[in-house]
Amino acid sequence: MTTTVYDVTTFPASVPATTDIGRVINEILAQVHAEQTSQTTRPGAVIYIPPGHYDLLTRVVIDISYVQIKGSGHGFQSLAIRDESDTTGWVDTLPGASHIRVLNTDGALEAFLVKRDASPSQAGRINSVEFRDFIIDGVEASKPYLPGSGKIGINVASDSDSVRIEGMGFVYLSTAMVLRGADAAWVTGNFAAECGSCLELTGASQVVRVTNNSLISAWAGACVRAEHAEGLLVEGNTLVWHGSVHLSECSRCSIASNKFVSSWPGMVWMEGACDENLITGNLFTRVDTESSNDNGHDDLFGMLQCSGTDNLVSSNLFSYRVDAGLRRPASAIPTIVLVKSGANNVIMGNHVCGTDDYRIVLDQSTTGTRIVHSVPQTAVEAYTQDYVCVPMP
């Protein structure tokens, strides 16, 4: 019977897995290719990474479907806290469990590249590739980790169906995860921190689930960035430092029941024609622990900025905790929600706390905005006459 389960420490590779796990996994994938040759005999494979420290010198290239790469725990440790501390009395100074150190010597930026080059286009679609329960460690980095300029943990560069990234750890990476043209992907239960951006959904994605993650990004990036997404679900996550979701030209997405904590404005930024999106049940907390750094947006940008049509912002709690002396521009009245453009947007049943000095702002081009039981009339700053406000009773 053809082997379909492989252990990187026992597979007869050309180098030990601890020396170059990337080369070992590529050799396993080559054997899978050799043994699974027809359309009907390709069940895929499981590649297991036992607990241990593994160097990755060679990028892993996955060009087959139904592959699961799994370890025995995400093993996360905050490397920034370690590198800024006296670790003399620490018990652990490295991430643990199934720990991959990205030390590429092959000139590639990714640890894992999922890509199939084929024609016709449907042959290039990758199905059901899974990453589970190990940590990808960029080893060294400097703030703000600049997304797009350095190491990438997982890059799904082909259109994909049902990719799953679960229980993973990511640290010291320019970008933890990139998914292109994702259909029905699941990104759940992961811990990504000290990364430029945590998750980027490029190209047009649909019905992607981003749930129950802890995502911590620096001010130059975002926790979740999506372009042309349809039906994206971002739910039950903790988004910290630059706790942010940036949607560009996205429709019918749900951003629900998340905890945002950010040192900068723009925790949810709907840019361009973002239509029929639901932003509900979230806790937004704006703090000033990183006021010396700049994400390019001042306090007039909005904790939440809305552009597009028929969006609903409801039942959120906005907590603004920045001293007046640290606001930008100086002594600005902070904008909680900015409706930048679009028609028929609804802001309903939200609550603002932490400051008595705030605004919901409607720009001149907006039409048909309805503000219902969210703020007093005095907190609405409207540069248009085409809106309705039912103030707090």
Side-chain angles (χ1 to χ4, degrees):
M1 181 178 177
T2 300
T3 299
T4 54
V5 179
Y6 302 85
D7 184 323
V8 297
T9 63
T10 60
F11 181 78
S14 58
V15 296
T18 53
T19 300
D20 186 2
I21 193 172
R23 185 169 174 180
V24 173
I25 293 176
N26 283 335
E27 291 178 9
I28 292 171
L29 292 169
Q31 180 163 319
V32 175
H33 266 293
E35 293 183 349
Q36 300 181 24
T37 56
S38 75
Q39 288 179 315
T40 57
T41 59
R42 287 181 170 162
V46 174
I47 300 172
Y48 175 58
I49 306 168
H53 301 297
Y54 304 88
D55 289 346
L56 185 145
L57 308 182
T58 307
R59 174 180 65 184
V60 175
V61 179
I62 300 171
D63 62 352
I64 56 178
S65 296
Y66 320 123
V67 173
Q68 182 184 87
I69 301 179
K70 63 183 294 186
S72 292
H74 66 68
F76 179 84
Q77 182 185 76
S78 171
L79 299 188
I81 291 175
R82 180 201 65 186
D83 291 344
E84 295 169 0
S85 303
D86 178 1
T87 61
T88 303
W90 286 31
V91 174
D92 324 296
T93 56
L94 274 179
S98 302
H99 173 213
I100 292 179
R101 296 181 286 211
V102 184
L103 301 170
N104 296 63
T105 58
D106 61 354
L109 293 177
E110 304 100 341
F112 293 87
L113 174 65
V114 181
K115 186 176 183 181
R116 176 183 285 163
D117 294 318
S119 183
S121 61
Q122 186 65 20
R125 190 175 173 88
I126 292 275
N127 300 294
S128 302
V129 174
E130 301 186 22
F131 299 88
R132 294 176 179 267
D133 301 320
F134 62 95
I135 182 166
I136 301 175
D137 170 10
V139 182
E140 58 182 1
S142 57
K143 299 174 184 176
Y145 315 122
L146 293 176
S149 67
K151 295 175 181 177
I152 299 170
I154 297 169
N155 182 10
V156 182
S158 288
D159 288 354
S160 62
D161 190 1
S162 302
V163 166
R164 298 172 75 107
I165 304 174
E166 299 190 29
M168 294 286 294
F170 302 89
V171 66
Y172 270 3
L173 297 163
S174 168
T175 307
M177 298 165 276
V178 180
L179 278 73
R180 178 190 181 277
D183 184 356
W186 282 40
V187 180
T188 187
N190 303 289
F191 203 117
E194 292 140 27
C195 295
S197 283
C198 297
L199 172 63
E200 296 189 355
L201 296 168
T202 65
S205 65
Q206 59 181 345
V207 292
V208 172
R209 296 171 58 95
V210 182
T211 58
N212 302 321
N213 302 284
S214 292
L215 305 177
I216 304 171
S217 68
W219 60 92
C223 290
V224 179
R225 179 181 284 125
E227 60 180 28
H228 303 290
E230 164 73 29
L232 169 65
L233 173 66
V234 181
E235 183 178 68
N237 303 284
T238 298
L239 307 116
V240 181
W241 199 13
H242 187 202
S244 58
V245 174
H246 181 184
L247 305 179
S248 178
E249 308 280 340
C250 297
S251 299
R252 287 166 287 283
C253 302
S254 176
I255 315 298
S257 302
N258 302 285
K259 180 181 179 181
F260 292 82
V261 182
S262 182
S263 294
W264 301 277
M267 297 182 199
V268 170
W269 178 14
M270 289 182 276
E271 182 182 23
C274 287
D275 301 329
E276 300 175 29
N277 298 291
L278 172 65
I279 317 296
T280 188
N282 301 286
L283 171 59
F284 296 94
T285 303
R286 169 86 159 82
V287 295
D288 58 15
T289 56
E290 288 275 348
S291 57
S292 60
N293 295 309
D294 187 2
N295 75 338
H297 306 312
D298 62 24
D299 281 291
L300 304 182
F301 188 85
M303 291 174 66
L304 184 153
Q305 185 175 123
C306 175
S307 297
T309 299
D310 292 314
N311 298 292
L312 174 59
V313 179
S314 71
S315 304
N316 301 286
L317 192 155
F318 295 91
S319 177
Y320 185 87
R321 305 283 173 177
V322 179
D323 292 341
L326 295 175
R327 297 175 186 175
R328 287 181 285 188
S331 301
I333 297 173
T335 299
I336 303 301
V337 176
L338 170 60
V339 184
K340 182 74 173 176
S341 65
N344 303 322
N345 294 296
V346 178
I347 303 167
M348 178 182 291
N350 301 284
H351 179 60
V352 181
C353 62
T355 178
D356 295 325
D357 191 16
Y358 62 88
R359 295 287 185 270
I360 287 180
V361 178
L362 311 180
D363 273 5
Q364 186 175 11
S365 65
T366 62
T367 59
T369 304
R370 284 162 283 167
I371 305 171
V372 180
H373 291 176
S374 289
V375 295
Q377 180 69 60
T378 55
V380 177
E381 185 175 333
Y383 296 90
T384 173
Q385 298 298 314
D386 191 353
Y387 78 98
V388 173
C389 179
V390 181
M392 294 289 291

